[in-house]
Amino acid sequence: MERLKNLLYDGINENLYQIILSNPQNRERAEKIKIRPVMVKDKLLFQETIYAGTKVFHENFSKEDLITRLLENFRYHFKQGELENKELKGTVLVSKKGTVTVKVKKNTMSGKEIDLSHNRAKNYILEEGKPAPFLVELGVQNKDGKVVKAKYDKFKQINRYLEFIRDILPILPKDRTVNIIDFGCGKSYLTFAMYYYLKILNQYDIRVIGLDLKEDVILKCNALAEKLGYDGALKFIRGDIAAFEGDCRPDMVVTLHACDTATDHALEKAVKWGAKVILSVPCCQHEINKQIDCQELEPILKYGILKERISALITDGIRANLLERMGYDTQILEFIDMEHTPKNLLIRAVKQEKGVSHKGTQEDGNRGQSDSIGGLLEFLHTEQTLNKLLSDKNGTE
């Protein structure tokens, strides 16, 4: 527990973004706990928010009291935790036998502001009541900036997506054009949002290409880009992800809801190009679901909905590990709440400098992750497209 205490003492201060406790031993007591700093009467405290079913409870603690409470929670109630402040990120895992594993690494995405207000109102990046031209044209806002009731979930999704982009702003170059490719852009709500946020609000010199298979979608998106005056740096083309080559090396690759193995082809291309940032929201992971054959898991796999969810989680876990193996600092983050969509996980990967990573030498890390992924796939009697693509690329198994 000593490493856990050190993490809490080092990480809990005015630079704390948040702490999240998850994977509870008893969901009736609490499903999740979130902690953030607050300023109350000029005194720094830490607000604990407990989620228990449909109920939410708040309480403020001093640093010492919070640490005592967290240690108790990890000892008796929760098996997983994440801590993030401006300097570091820490993860905590508690095994069935009570063994505590703590991993700490430098925070490479520390551009967020810290809100210390006690009764915090939701501050969206794109504000309600302030019309954004693309949101008006897409029917999310009216001309006065009021969010259309039927589109409020989309409005929240767009803002959540922009929060992920805000985090990686320090990584994007400002002294040249930033090239971005959006694979499987679809109706392009998020593509237009990304362009508006980076180009209009933050004055980045960007060039964005949206790629999709549907000709009618591409025509509509290009027409809207032209109407908004974005067409000089935002264009949409029809094409297949696996066959796309492009005419530049992108700094950022986005793949939102690219279906099944199309996500794998997009990720492989991003790695091949050496993209600085990858943002991926996977969709419809059928590949492992069709193949998985594991006698030990049969009591769970016999239920179709559980098999589908487990297959999706395994797929995304493998993808994240493979990106780490290729030199990316990788996170799996909650995109939007489950009440809005089951496709709520986002993989965010940031290219690290070559050399020694937080997991040891790059060579040792690659070998260990390759072996563990291969063992997992053998255990499940499956193959996985991104693993095969990257193995073929490196001439390894």
Side-chain angles (χ1 to χ4, degrees), residues 2 20 87 94 114 133 143 159 187 198 248 289 354 369:
E2 197 61 33
I20 299 177
E87 284 78 36
V94 183
I114 297 174
K143 62 180 181 179
N159 275 284
K187 295 180 180 179
L198 290 174
C248 66
N289 189 23
K354 291 183 178 180
Q369 289 186 30

Side-chain angles (χ1 to χ4, degrees), residues 234-296:
L234 173 62
K235 69 175 182 178
F236 299 87
I237 60 177
R238 183 180 181 277
D240 176 70
I241 292 174
F244 181 80
E245 290 300 330
D247 58 0
C248 66
R249 294 177 68 88
D251 298 286
M252 183 160 77
V253 172
V254 177
T255 165
L256 304 178
H257 301 141
C259 191
D260 200 17
T261 58
T263 295
D264 298 298
H265 286 282
L267 295 178
E268 186 268 339
K269 288 185 179 295
V271 169
K272 179 182 73 174
W273 290 324
K276 292 179 178 294
V277 178
I278 301 171
L279 298 177
S280 176
V281 178
C283 177
C284 306
Q285 296 101 314
H286 298 309
E287 183 180 34
I288 285 182
N289 189 23
K290 292 176 180 177
Q291 301 176 63
I292 189 169
D293 181 13
C294 179
Q295 192 64 36
E296 290 84 350

Side-chain angles (χ1 to χ4, degrees), residues 294-304 306-307 310 379:
C294 179
Q295 192 64 36
E296 290 84 350
L297 293 177
E298 188 55 33
I300 299 172
L301 298 179
K302 68 179 182 180
Y303 301 105
L306 295 182
K307 181 182 179 184
I310 287 172
F379 174 69

Side-chain angles (χ1 to χ4, degrees), residues 154-172:
K154 178 60 69 175
F155 179 73
K156 290 173 66 176
Q157 182 197 49
I158 289 170
N159 275 284
R160 179 62 172 147
Y161 176 60
L162 294 182
E163 288 175 9
F164 292 126
I165 295 179
R166 179 179 61 191
D167 291 348
I168 55 89
L169 284 182
I171 299 162
L172 299 179

